[in-house]
Amino acid sequence: MNRKEKRKEKGKGKNKNASVVKKPPWMELSEGIWGNILQRLGAVEILETAQRVCTTWRRICKEPSMWRVINMRNDGDLSEMDYDLEEMCLLAVDRSRGELVDINLEYFATGKLLGHIAERSGKLKRLSIACCYGMVCDGLVEAVQKLPLLEELSLTHTTITTEGIEALGRSCPGLKSFELNNSLYMGSGDYFDNEDVRNEEALAIAKNLPTLHHLQLIGNNMTNKGLEAILDSCPHLVSLDLRLCKYLSLNGVLISRISRQIKDLKHPDDSLAGLEFSYQACGDEYDEDQMYDDY
């Protein structure tokens, strides 16, 4: 081989190496690694942005394993959104192909949507609903009857009836955690002067949810009667959140009993600092003492 041919051959090698060096390292990541990364996004970010980046990401975003956990977190300003959260959620649930185990819904849940989730998600273990008020009452009763593996139910500013609690007890024998956060809307007025009415939820929990390990009842109207019923009937309970339960009177005897059974206790007058969707998190300027006075 003469000098000219050698230089030509050498040049080819350089060009080949240069093309390898210019290739971005992240292009070499496997789809498994990309899936792990993309799963850290919320459902809205995946459907609105990530799946549109490239064909590889779109293919990954259609895999059922990507939708075992669906987080529909949003700021609640639905009128300003260019997309329909309910339609997005329906698509995400369908993509899970029955593999969904954990879903978080905020501001937009309806009975129809819960029915769709329940029909297609028999493996669901955790359901969290926030700021849906009375929108899901009847749908929740029907949905939990189709979710036998449910272990955690979290309701924040979302109503559940005593019938719903009874349905939980009948249909979800492995329920370990129940959260009912009414920190923004505690009851008031003559309606709650009846002690039996104040204790309806607590007594329904005591009667129907004996397997609970964690119970949060923020802003509940129960009295000592309701609390004692829960302690009597929920022997596995180790975590209890009683913040803003203003009708409780934790005397020495009751405190002593609670301390023997409950490892993690939040008292009625404990701070709500750090609690999502509380009046403190929403930026209200009045303090907890003022909130009690308002009612």
Side-chain angles (χ1 to χ4, degrees), residues 206-273:
K207 183 178 179 181
N208 297 283
L209 306 180
T211 59
L212 288 180
H213 289 224
H214 168 71
L215 177 61
Q216 180 188 87
L217 290 173
I218 298 177
N220 194 271
N221 292 289
M222 68 178 167
T223 65
N224 286 11
K225 176 183 177 181
L227 176 57
E228 289 171 353
I230 289 172
L231 294 173
D232 287 339
S233 303
C234 301
H236 306 292
L237 200 62
V238 294
S239 173
L240 182 60
D241 190 340
L242 301 173
R243 284 177 289 181
L244 295 183
C245 292
K246 63 179 184 177
Y247 294 113
L248 288 178
S249 177
L250 302 185
N251 54 49
V253 174
L254 190 52
I255 285 289
S256 178
R257 179 182 179 186
I258 292 173
S259 65
R260 290 195 300 270
Q261 180 176 347
I262 307 300
K263 294 180 180 179
D264 179 16
L265 173 68
K266 289 184 173 58
H267 292 77
D269 57 353
D270 282 352
S271 172
L272 294 179

Side-chain angles (χ1 to χ4, degrees), residues 17-276:
N17 290 335
S19 65
V20 172
V21 171
K22 287 181 180 179
K23 191 174 182 179
W26 57 267
M27 291 291 290
E28 303 296 332
L29 294 177
S30 68
E31 290 193 8
I33 294 176
W34 274 125
N36 183 279
I37 294 172
L38 293 173
Q39 280 179 331
R40 301 171 193 274
L41 300 175
V44 174
E45 289 81 3
I46 293 174
L47 294 173
E48 278 294 292
T49 306
Q51 71 172 8
R52 300 179 181 181
V53 171
C54 63
T55 56
T56 298
W57 283 20
R58 183 167 181 80
R59 182 169 59 251
I60 294 170
C61 290
K62 288 186 175 182
E63 288 295 320
S65 59
M66 284 289 296
W67 303 101
R68 295 184 74 249
V69 176
I70 297 175
N71 186 1
M72 299 296 297
R73 182 178 295 275
N74 64 90
D75 62 11
D77 196 358
L78 305 186
S79 62
E80 296 298 318
M81 295 178 185
D82 297 327
Y83 42 80
D84 187 319
L85 287 176
E86 185 168 1
E87 289 299 320
M88 274 190 171
C89 190
L90 291 171
L91 174 59
V93 171
D94 288 345
R95 283 190 178 182
S96 75
R97 298 179 192 173
E99 295 301 311
L100 180 64
V101 296
D102 184 340
I103 189 166
N104 174 49
L105 309 172
E106 297 177 5
Y107 296 102
F108 70 96
T110 62
K112 175 185 174 182
L113 176 59
L114 289 183
H116 187 89
I117 293 170
E119 286 287 347
R120 291 162 174 77
S121 310
K123 296 180 181 179
L124 194 70
K125 293 184 177 181
R126 183 177 184 274
L127 173 61
S128 177
I129 307 174
C131 301
C132 292
Y133 311 100
M135 297 159 55
V136 298
C137 283
D138 294 336
L140 191 57
V141 174
E142 296 178 9
V144 298
Q145 296 180 59
K146 300 175 182 178
L147 300 172
L149 300 183
L150 196 68
E151 296 179 358
E152 300 179 36
L153 177 62
S154 177
L155 302 176
T156 299
H157 312 314
T158 299
T159 305
I160 186 171
T161 60
T162 55
E163 290 78 8
I165 295 173
E166 291 169 1
L168 274 176
R170 289 194 306 271
S171 306
C172 308
L175 193 74
K176 296 178 181 178
S177 175
F178 181 47
E179 297 182 349
L180 190 57
N181 175 357
N182 290 312
S183 62
L184 287 177
Y185 302 96
M186 294 186 302
S188 62
D190 294 339
Y191 175 76
F192 289 97
D193 285 343
N194 186 321
E195 186 177 17
D196 291 336
V197 175
R198 287 179 181 163
N199 286 305
E200 279 183 345
E201 289 175 341
L203 294 177
I205 290 169
K207 183 178 179 181
N208 297 283
L209 306 180
T211 59
L212 288 180
H213 289 224
H214 168 71
L215 177 61
Q216 180 188 87
L217 290 173
I218 298 177
N220 194 271
N221 292 289
M222 68 178 167
T223 65
N224 286 11
K225 176 183 177 181
L227 176 57
E228 289 171 353
I230 289 172
L231 294 173
D232 287 339
S233 303
C234 301
H236 306 292
L237 200 62
V238 294
S239 173
L240 182 60
D241 190 340
L242 301 173
R243 284 177 289 181
L244 295 183
C245 292
K246 63 179 184 177
Y247 294 113
L248 288 178
S249 177
L250 302 185
N251 54 49
V253 174
L254 190 52
I255 285 289
S256 178
R257 179 182 179 186
I258 292 173
S259 65
R260 290 195 300 270
Q261 180 176 347
I262 307 300
K263 294 180 180 179
D264 179 16
L265 173 68
K266 289 184 173 58
H267 292 77
D269 57 353
D270 282 352
S271 172
L272 294 179
L275 180 69
E276 196 172 14

